[in-house]
Amino acid sequence: MIPALLAQIGLPLLIKAVGAGLDHIDNPIAKTAADTLKQVEDAVTKGDVTPTQILEANRHTERMAEIELARDTKTLTSINRTIRAEVASEDAFVRRWRPSFGYAVALTWIMTMGAIAYAIILTPLQAPAIIAALVNTSPIWGIALGVLGVSVVKRSADKKLSVTADSDRNMQK
C-alpha cells in the first residue's frame, strides 16, 4: 500500500512531506534524516537531480507497488482457497474449527478468571502475587484472542458475502 501511495504522490512531494515530519521529531537520528532530505529537496529544486532521474525513481516506485499488489493478491487468493476448502469439507471439525476454537477460548477464559477470583477470595493476602502471575499469561491470551478476533471478523465478512450473493440471486429471479 505504501509503494502505491508513493507512486501517486511522487518523489519530490514525498521528500518534502517526510522531511517536514521528521523535523518535528525530537530525536537526533530523525533530525539528521530531515536535514538529509532537505539537501535532497534542494538538489531537486536546483536541478542537480534531473527530471529524468525523478521519473525513473517514480517508475521504480510504481513497479514496487505492482510487485506488492501481486504478492497481496497471491496471498489473498491462497487464503480464499483455504477458506473455501474449509467450508466445502465433509469433515465437521474442519468446517466448524472457528466456532470450536471460540468456545474453547471462552471456556478457558471463564475457567481461568473463575479460578483467579476464587484464589483471591480464599487467600486475599496472596492477591498481589496472583495478579502479578496473571500478567505472565498476557502473551498467550493475546495470541488466542487475536486468532479468535481474526476468525470472528473473517466469519462476519463471509456471512455478509453470503447474504449479498443470496440477495443478488433473488433479484435475478
Side-chain angles (χ1 to χ4, degrees), residues 24-89:
H24 287 85
I25 297 174
D26 187 23
N27 179 291
I29 297 171
K31 296 290 185 192
T32 302
D35 291 342
T36 303
L37 285 172
K38 180 67 176 153
Q39 291 174 6
V40 173
E41 183 183 356
D42 291 343
V44 169
T45 304
K46 289 179 190 173
D48 293 342
V49 177
T50 66
T52 305
Q53 290 171 318
I54 293 172
L55 285 174
E56 180 60 24
N58 285 338
R59 187 202 60 74
H60 176 73
T61 303
E62 289 170 1
R63 180 66 183 133
M64 285 173 39
E66 290 171 5
I67 291 169
E68 185 175 317
L69 179 62
R71 186 197 69 221
D72 290 348
T73 301
K74 186 177 178 181
T75 301
L76 290 174
T77 301
S78 176
I79 292 168
N80 190 359
R81 190 177 317 117
T82 301
I83 291 172
R84 286 177 187 265
E86 192 180 289
V87 169
S89 175

Side-chain angles (χ1 to χ4, degrees), residues 7-160:
Q8 291 175 355
I9 293 176
L11 192 60
L13 185 57
L14 184 66
I15 290 170
K16 188 174 194 164
V18 172
L22 288 174
D23 197 35
H24 287 85
I25 297 174
D26 187 23
N27 179 291
I29 297 171
K31 296 290 185 192
T32 302
D35 291 342
T36 303
L37 285 172
K38 180 67 176 153
Q39 291 174 6
V40 173
E41 183 183 356
D42 291 343
V44 169
T45 304
K46 289 179 190 173
D48 293 342
V49 177
T50 66
T52 305
Q53 290 171 318
I54 293 172
L55 285 174
E56 180 60 24
N58 285 338
R59 187 202 60 74
H60 176 73
T61 303
E62 289 170 1
R63 180 66 183 133
M64 285 173 39
E66 290 171 5
I67 291 169
E68 185 175 317
L69 179 62
R71 186 197 69 221
D72 290 348
T73 301
K74 186 177 178 181
T75 301
L76 290 174
T77 301
S78 176
I79 292 168
N80 190 359
R81 190 177 317 117
T82 301
I83 291 172
R84 286 177 187 265
E86 192 180 289
V87 169
S89 175
E90 295 299 320
D91 183 2
F93 182 76
V94 171
R95 280 195 325 269
R96 306 269 187 251
W97 82 266
R98 290 180 207 190
S100 299
F101 184 75
Y103 291 131
V105 168
L107 180 63
T108 306
W109 182 266
I110 290 167
M111 289 171 44
T112 302
M113 294 304 131
I116 290 167
Y118 184 74
I120 289 173
I121 290 169
L122 286 182
T123 57
L125 294 176
Q126 295 297 321
I130 293 170
I131 293 170
L134 181 61
V135 170
N136 293 328
T137 65
S138 294
I140 195 157
W141 280 114
I143 293 167
L145 294 173
V147 169
L148 182 60
V150 169
S151 297
V152 168
V153 168
K154 182 58 187 146
R155 182 64 186 138
S156 298
D158 291 347
K159 286 180 181 179
K160 285 179 187 175

